[in-house]
Amino acid sequence: MTDITVVGAGGEYMESVVVVAWHKKKGESVKAGELVVTVETAKAATEIEAPVSGILSDIRAQIGEEVAIGTVLGTLSEDGADTAAPAVSAAQTAPPAAPPAAVPAEAYVAAAGGERINASPLARRVAASRGIDLAGLVASSPSGRIKLRDVDAVVAVPAERPVAGTTASASVSAGVSLTRRGSGEGTPFVFLHGFGADSFSWQPLLATLGVEVPAVLVDLPGHGRSPAMDGAGSLEGLAFAVARALAGAGIEQCHLVGHSLGGAVAIALAEAGRLAPLSLTLIAPAGLGPDIDGDFISGFCRATRAESLKPWLLRLFADPTIVTPGYVQAALNGRGDALRQAQAALAGRIFPDGTQAVEMRCALRRVAVPQKIIWGEGDRIIPMRHALGTGPQAGIHLLPNVGHMPHVEAAATVARLVLQNARSAG
Amino acid sequence: MAMMRYAEALNRALREEMQRDSNVFLFGEDIARYGGVFKVTKGLMEEFGESRVRDTPISEQTLAAMAVTASMTGTRPVLEIMYADFMPLVLDALINQASIYEYLWPNVTMPFVLRTQGGGGAGAGAQHSKSLDSLVAHIPGIKVVAPVTPADAKGLLKSAIRDSQPVVFLEHKLLYNLRDEVPDDADFTVPIGKAKTVREGADISIFATSRMVLESQKAAELLAQDGISAEVIDLRTLRPLDLDAITASIAKTHHAVVVNEGWRFCGYAAELSATIMDFAFDDLDAPVARVTLPDMPVPYSEPLELAVLPNAARIADAARATLK
Amino acid sequence: MKNSPSTDEQLEMHRKMAVVRRLEERLGELHKAGKTRGPIHRCDGQEAVGVGATAVLGAGDFVTSTHRGHAHYIGKGVDIRGVAAEILGRATGTCGGRAGHMLIGDRDKGMIGGNAIVGGSIPAATGMALSIQVRRTADVAMCFFGDGAAQTGICHESMNIAGLWKLPVIFILEHNQFGLTVHHSVQSPVADLSIRAAGYAMPAEIVDGNDTVAMYRAAARAVERARRGEGPSLIEAKTYRMQGFSTSDMGGYQSAADLAEWSRRDPLAVSRRALLDAVGAERLDAVEAGAAGEVDAAVEEALAAPLPSFELFTRSSPYATAPEAV
């Protein structure tokens, strides 16, 4: 017998956790290192892996229950069969190549085989109209009832589409530049940069992720290699343009990673159902509250010279040493006057009067895939408190000594969290 | 438009309709010389005389039966029953009399209005604080309206007086001092059978009656702080129900909370819930939640009374639970 | 003041009583033959009360009745063919078969209407009188109710309000000695209920309810008073219920002596004796035969008439935009 317990996971100041999901049913066999239970603290969801291989013989802490640190959540008993796989930590494990079906991280125990399937009338109707078998779904609600969001989370698994090449290959799809990176096959990670940035801003993160991870880097309209587009002057317009581009490139299923404005675009994409994200990782995302540093937006938009741009770039980071003269020059070179004006126009619509005009909290709550929100505690552009009030689904990770650019400032941590989030989708 | 209290808006409606039609008359306890316990009929006896504005003996059962047959024979009576808690006394007149004659007898109409007020929150105790909406809404052939705003109070009362069928007009004792803009136009009416969306929302529909509409609006504010977008619909007419408004909202939000200040079991909220199941079952993503008075008498002492009355926090809790 | 019926009026009252009597007898037969539905409340022996009192009313006056109202219906001029067809549940009935014998209403005849909630007719007529007073016409409302209904709370409430407001209403207490199967002596401490009128500042008189002429005269006085705006009156008409409470009543509680005594005072016999000198036996026979023939024809016509077809009453739908029947 081996106990499954929470020992200080999830960070300091933690006295208790809430059990969010059991990923194994009682009686199911579990391999050492396999995810068995997700618990949530005030700050983040923590996934607990099986300490040894065995049979999950007892579930003691029920979903929704608050338990003290050190409490036994469940027990594993030896199953006789010697699977003897060594414990593998989450960070070292590559994401599964092809998840069999979309199962939300916070999955609640659905009806076992043979019993009546517990689903809402709407979920039944929509599932029937889409030809989805409810028996294959898992409820995301504490009630155990399959709801519309669970049906919406299901997408037909497309035929495996090989991602071309090991090297980067850029293409323009429907007016939006997409850059493919990585040699690995499987579900790609789509990266959406922030306002005023471009696909190059992901470089530090990609370096940490490694070349096996298939990545698609988007240049949002009016940024990087994508010209400004008519109709892409709003969040919906941006999301639509990106969705069209991804569809044109044959990308139907992906893990979405968005930073700042790109985070809001990611939520809009996931919510609109135009493509099927399996996980959603938001880095200091826009759209979760009205506050934003209006001075930064206007100052950044006005800047045409290194001298005027640098002070604003400094505001992005907790550590000023990142903003080297070379970095400033690269940023300046990255956008010509046409892009600068396009970005200023976009800012006028999305961030009028120094206020975030887009509200994506409701939309985020409707997105039923695993979610993580990563924020730097020293963010001076969008306050990290926006991460609160995003609902019970999102795991929140607050990074100390990090500003508005966690993917640059704490690339390794962000990479680990992105992969962890993707893995929980499988 | 003019700013006025709910009670004044009702007074204005009565006055305009009495000026418009000499067959409209008022009767009830304390309504003439005293001007009504809630001052709704203030000044009307002085203007229209003692024949058309009458103080009555305390005889609710007979007064209601008289309203039925007076309306059947050429007048449009408006009877005030001082408290909704007294409605059980008038039920024979509504159930065994008013409810049947339009169906049984050729060429019979019953254009009478029975005004009453209910609800808790004023420390009036177990016999003066109830909302017995379901008792009257249960009766075929009786229309039931329950306005919340002064403008709706005026417009619906005028419609009720002009209606050819019996209308029970439910007021709420905590609404009489509510002030708002009210149209001056003597032709202004609000149609019976039309709900009003008082707040648009996408995540959940809150269907409420009478004062509970105000609590539901507060609940929607609380929910908004959590990022939940709640739609609030003031039913205004309890019978006949605006089914289209209900089904359209649920088609949008897929979740519903129904709020009524009456008792829960066999209550008006239960009927709303069943109606939603009848007509919007396949649009529901969760069971309909009911927020009502618990099945017990309304207590007297303030903390006890507040403990039973539905309020914004309870409505918000029900909405959150429904959305889980 | 006209307070005595002419010979023609008296003969017409006799004819109407003969119609009602024949109707009651035919209904008894039809009930035994299984051709009626539900209980039938016969008014054999009480015909003079309803026929005599309504004879003084005009077309604009209103009458409210009880569950035992056949004499009131016929007295106020409701067509016997409609009444017979209604009782037999036909589409051609006064109310298309929707109402049945206890609830017949005919707005055009001012007969609105039968009421099977005991006492219900009393506030009903009081409300109509209120309407008349508000509208300032000279019409009156007349209500029939029994000694059983006199014990209800609404009887007290209505008479108090009528007396207080001097409403033009005539309360006809059709005292047939029984409330359901229970004799009035077990339901009230006083034999003469009309003494209550004093408490409502209302004149009252006790009348032989088996004498149409006496009923006519008393009703005429009360109606004239009401038309003058002097307020309500109470007429206590002493009569006797010769049949049971209804056709489902097993009987056995009425004494043979009482039945024999009241049979001797049968209102048709009383009326016939009163008219014999003035019109002769031959004409009375002809009137009675004509009445019987009229009822028989109405019954035959009703039995041949179509049964009604059901239609949902959508005016009472709980939904503003009525969906298909739920």
Side-chain angles (χ1 to χ4, degrees):
Chain A
M1 288 285 210
T2 307
D3 291 335
I4 305 167
T5 57
V6 194
V7 189
E12 64 282 36
Y13 312 127
M14 194 178 67
E15 289 175 359
S16 67
V17 295
V18 174
V19 178
V20 175
W22 281 95
H23 303 285
K24 295 287 175 184
K25 286 179 197 156
K26 196 172 158 181
E28 240 182 300
S29 69
V30 188
K31 286 182 184 173
E34 224 181 329
L35 182 58
V36 272
V37 57
T38 302
V39 298
E40 195 174 71
T41 69
K43 285 185 173 179
T46 297
E47 289 147 355
I48 298 175
E49 297 144 358
V52 296
S53 296
I55 302 274
L56 181 57
S57 54
D58 193 12
I59 290 179
R60 296 203 193 159
Q62 299 305 316
I63 288 161
E65 200 175 323
E66 187 171 349
V67 295
I69 296 303
T71 304
V72 176
L73 303 175
T75 49
L76 292 165
S77 63
E78 281 143 33
D79 60 358
D82 183 24
T83 45
V88 179
S89 82
Q92 292 165 339
T93 310
V103 179
E106 286 119 343
Y108 295 94
V109 181
E115 288 172 26
R116 181 185 176 278
I117 293 167
N118 183 4
S120 78
L122 180 66
R124 285 180 187 280
R125 175 163 69 80
V126 172
S129 71
R130 294 182 193 166
I132 293 169
D133 183 4
L134 287 170
L137 303 193
V138 177
S140 60
S141 161
S143 67
R145 187 182 301 109
I146 295 167
K147 298 186 73 174
L148 176 65
R149 58 179 181 237
D150 306 319
V151 177
D152 280 345
V154 173
V155 286
V157 179
E160 208 57 28
R161 177 180 288 275
V163 179
T166 53
T167 53
S169 73
S171 65
V172 173
S173 174
V176 174
S177 166
L178 303 177
T179 306
R180 288 180 188 269
R181 287 280 306 272
S183 60
E185 292 191 356
T187 309
F189 289 71
V190 171
F191 291 90
L192 300 161
H193 61 78
F195 174 76
D198 58 31
S199 56
F200 286 107
S201 62
W202 297 107
Q203 289 301 345
L205 181 67
L206 293 172
T208 314
L209 277 173
V211 292
E212 306 83 12
V213 174
V216 176
L217 313 178
V218 177
D219 280 307
L220 292 174
H223 294 76
R225 280 169 287 192
S226 299
M229 286 169 64
D230 288 342
S234 65
L235 190 67
E236 290 75 16
L238 289 173
F240 183 68
V242 172
R244 217 170 36 171
L246 292 172
I251 295 163
E252 292 167 349
Q253 209 177 47
C254 64
H255 297 285
L256 269 181
V257 182
H259 169 240
S260 197
L261 173 63
V265 175
I267 298 171
L269 273 172
E271 209 258 334
R274 292 200 185 96
L275 85 168
L278 297 181
S279 70
L280 185 59
T281 305
L282 304 172
I283 303 164
L288 303 184
D291 321 82
I292 191 163
D293 185 349
D295 292 343
F296 168 81
I297 297 292
S298 51
F300 180 83
C301 288
R302 278 196 308 273
T304 53
R305 291 185 295 172
E307 295 87 327
S308 55
L309 184 60
K310 186 184 174 189
W312 299 116
L313 292 180
L314 279 168
R315 202 174 273 198
L316 287 169
F317 301 92
D319 177 6
T321 61
I322 294 174
V323 187
T324 60
Y327 186 91
V328 175
Q329 198 55 49
L332 204 56
N333 295 345
R335 62 168 191 182
D337 216 34
L339 285 185
R340 189 183 62 76
Q341 281 166 16
Q343 288 167 14
L346 181 67
R349 292 197 203 92
I350 297 180
F351 306 124
D353 306 319
T355 297
Q356 294 197 49
V358 292
E359 167 54 68
M360 299 304 290
R361 274 177 291 193
C362 297
L364 180 59
R365 281 168 167 264
R366 284 192 289 271
V367 176
V369 300
Q371 302 169 7
K372 278 192 191 298
I373 298 177
I374 301 166
W375 225 300
E377 287 182 356
D379 194 328
R380 285 176 285 176
I381 308 300
I382 303 177
M384 68 170 174
R385 64 181 151 78
H386 285 191
L388 306 176
T390 46
Q393 299 192 74
I396 299 171
H397 302 263
L398 304 179
L399 312 186
N401 305 316
V402 170
H404 188 59
M405 305 291 275
H407 52 307
V408 177
E409 300 173 84
T413 304
V414 172
R416 195 167 67 241
L417 292 171
V418 167
L419 291 177
Q420 202 180 68
N421 200 27
R423 199 184 58 137
S424 72
Chain B
M1 287 289 202
M3 279 300 279
M4 63 180 80
R5 295 186 307 120
Y6 186 95
E8 291 167 325
L10 292 170
N11 182 281
R12 200 65 67 89
L14 292 170
R15 198 160 156 249
E16 287 175 7
E17 291 310 294
M18 291 184 80
Q19 285 168 345
R20 182 177 176 269
D21 182 350
S22 64
N23 288 322
V24 176
F25 75 98
L26 319 181
F27 65 137
E29 293 155 17
D30 295 334
I31 69 156
R33 283 154 192 84
Y34 189 66
V37 172
F38 298 98
K39 297 292 170 201
V40 170
T41 50
K42 192 178 173 200
L44 297 177
M45 185 193 79
E46 290 75 4
E47 181 172 352
F48 297 101
E50 293 181 28
S51 177
R52 291 179 66 197
V53 184
R54 295 176 183 234
D55 282 323
T56 67
I58 300 167
S59 304
E60 286 89 358
Q61 227 182 319
T62 286
L63 296 173
M66 289 173 68
V68 176
T69 54
S71 73
M72 215 184 268
T73 52
T75 54
R76 291 180 177 269
V78 181
L79 170 63
E80 178 175 315
I81 297 291
M82 199 184 288
Y83 281 83
D85 306 68
F86 311 157
M87 290 302 284
L89 293 167
V90 312
L91 285 183
D92 180 70
L94 297 180
I95 294 174
N96 284 314
Q97 314 294 338
S99 165
I100 68 172
Y101 296 132
E102 192 180 0
Y103 175 64
L104 294 189
W105 297 344
N107 310 321
V108 163
T109 57
M110 283 162 286
F112 74 87
V113 178
L114 192 157
R115 287 182 44 242
T116 191
Q117 62 78 30
Q127 291 175 328
H128 294 78
S129 301
K130 290 191 288 295
S131 297
L132 298 175
D133 314 355
S134 62
L135 289 189
V136 279
H138 182 55
I139 310 169
I142 310 290
K143 294 179 176 175
V144 185
V145 299
V148 182
T149 65
D152 281 347
K154 183 185 179 192
L156 276 168
L157 184 52
K158 287 164 72 77
S159 289
I161 292 170
R162 295 179 192 187
D163 203 282
S164 67
Q165 290 187 302
V167 180
V168 171
F169 195 90
L170 298 172
E171 298 156 21
H172 193 293
K173 56 179 71 64
L174 296 190
L175 292 176
Y176 286 122
N177 284 322
L178 196 74
R179 282 172 68 87
D180 201 359
E181 295 280 355
V182 175
D184 292 320
D185 184 359
D187 289 327
F188 163 74
T189 59
V190 171
I192 292 174
K194 279 276 174 211
K196 183 168 70 176
T197 304
V198 293
R199 183 189 176 109
E200 301 247 2
D203 298 334
I204 189 160
S205 305
I206 303 176
F207 300 103
T209 62
S210 191
R211 193 177 71 82
M212 289 301 113
V213 174
L214 304 182
E215 292 298 320
S216 299
Q217 286 173 288
K218 288 184 214 157
E221 289 294 335
L222 295 176
L223 291 167
Q225 290 169 15
D226 294 348
I228 295 171
S229 161
E231 181 146 298
V232 179
I233 292 178
D234 174 2
L235 290 176
R236 298 200 289 189
T237 297
L238 277 57
R239 180 187 183 117
L241 205 48
D242 187 349
L243 206 52
D244 295 345
I246 292 172
T247 54
S249 182
I250 290 174
K252 186 165 74 166
T253 65
H254 307 302
H255 296 84
V257 176
V258 294
V259 192
N260 178 258
E261 208 183 315
W263 285 313
R264 184 179 181 84
F265 192 80
C266 285
Y268 190 73
E271 177 56 49
L272 278 180
S273 169
T275 296
I276 290 168
M277 231 96 76
D278 277 342
F279 297 101
F281 182 75
D282 286 322
D283 276 328
L284 286 177
D285 208 13
V288 178
R290 277 183 279 169
V291 182
T292 66
L293 203 73
D295 292 296
M296 63 178 281
V298 179
Y300 162 69
S301 175
E302 189 170 21
L304 303 183
E305 183 174 23
L306 291 179
V308 299
L309 295 178
N311 59 28
R314 282 173 201 151
I315 296 164
D317 284 347
R320 288 189 201 99
T322 301
L323 284 167
K324 266 200 181 132
Chain C
M1 186 179 84
K2 177 179 177 302
N3 65 2
S4 282
S6 66
T7 301
D8 282 351
E9 285 173 320
Q10 216 176 322
L11 194 59
E12 173 61 8
M13 289 193 287
H14 188 79
R15 187 192 71 78
K16 282 182 169 173
M17 286 201 295
V19 165
V20 176
R21 177 63 56 85
R22 181 68 173 179
L23 176 66
E24 303 303 65
E25 289 168 353
R26 287 302 309 271
L27 288 174
E29 294 165 16
L30 290 163
H31 178 77
K32 284 202 179 84
K35 294 197 170 156
T36 59
R37 300 195 86 226
I40 303 278
H41 304 79
R42 293 171 62 174
C43 67
D44 308 57
Q46 302 176 210
E47 295 91 342
V49 179
V51 171
T54 54
V56 302
L57 298 178
D61 298 320
F62 302 111
V63 168
T64 67
S65 176
T66 68
H67 55 284
R68 195 181 306 286
H70 299 171
H72 315 140
Y73 300 155
I74 300 302
K76 193 63 170 71
V78 182
D79 186 354
I80 179 63
R81 290 174 301 172
V83 171
E86 184 63 33
I87 297 171
L88 291 165
R90 289 334 210 243
T92 52
T94 310
C95 306
R98 297 182 300 274
H101 94 106
M102 289 187 276
L103 298 173
I104 289 177
D106 187 341
R107 178 71 177 80
D108 299 339
K109 297 290 183 188
M111 174 69 231
I112 41 178
N115 204 318
I117 299 298
V118 172
S121 63
I122 310 170
T126 308
M128 292 173 191
L130 174 59
S131 164
I132 291 164
Q133 189 178 70
V134 169
R135 289 183 291 112
R136 300 171 189 276
T137 70
D139 301 321
V140 300
M142 175 181 282
C143 79
F144 292 93
F145 63 105
D147 41 308
Q151 316 312 342
T152 62
I154 47 177
C155 178
H156 160 68
E157 291 185 351
S158 299
M159 289 183 177
N160 180 59
I161 290 169
L164 179 71
W165 291 346
K166 295 193 186 320
L167 295 178
V169 55
I170 296 94
F171 299 107
I172 310 274
L173 201 180
E174 191 166 332
H175 198 315
N176 69 5
Q177 321 286 334
F178 289 92
L180 302 170
T181 64
V182 177
H183 192 255
H184 72 87
S185 60
V186 185
Q187 301 208 27
S188 168
V190 295
D192 296 329
L193 299 168
S194 53
I195 65 167
R196 294 177 182 172
Y200 309 119
M202 169 166 75
E205 61 180 301
I206 296 172
V207 179
D208 177 357
N210 283 23
D211 180 351
T212 43
V213 175
M215 280 306 303
Y216 182 102
R217 285 177 177 159
R221 279 190 292 277
V223 166
E224 287 303 321
R225 186 180 130 80
R227 291 201 205 285
R228 285 196 306 270
E230 292 171 20
S233 303
L234 172 60
I235 295 169
E236 181 173 2
K238 301 284 196 186
T239 184
Y240 192 82
R241 200 183 71 202
M242 299 299 290
Q243 295 289 327
F245 173 73
S246 76
T247 45
S248 56
D249 184 345
M250 304 300 285
Y253 52 85
Q254 289 169 282
S255 80
D258 281 353
L259 285 166
E261 166 61 14
W262 282 96
S263 185
R264 198 180 54 75
R265 291 165 56 189
D266 183 293
L268 272 156
V270 170
S271 172
R272 190 179 168 92
R273 277 197 294 276
L275 279 162
L276 199 57
D277 287 346
V279 302
E282 203 174 319
R283 186 154 172 213
L284 283 166
D285 289 343
V287 164
E288 288 172 11
E294 198 185 340
V295 172
D296 290 344
V299 168
E300 295 317 311
E301 187 183 309
L303 288 171
L307 289 165
S309 50
F310 176 77
E311 269 179 63
L312 189 74
F313 185 57
T314 54
R315 292 267 297 162
S316 57
S317 166
Y319 307 113
T321 44
E324 286 307 302
V326 179

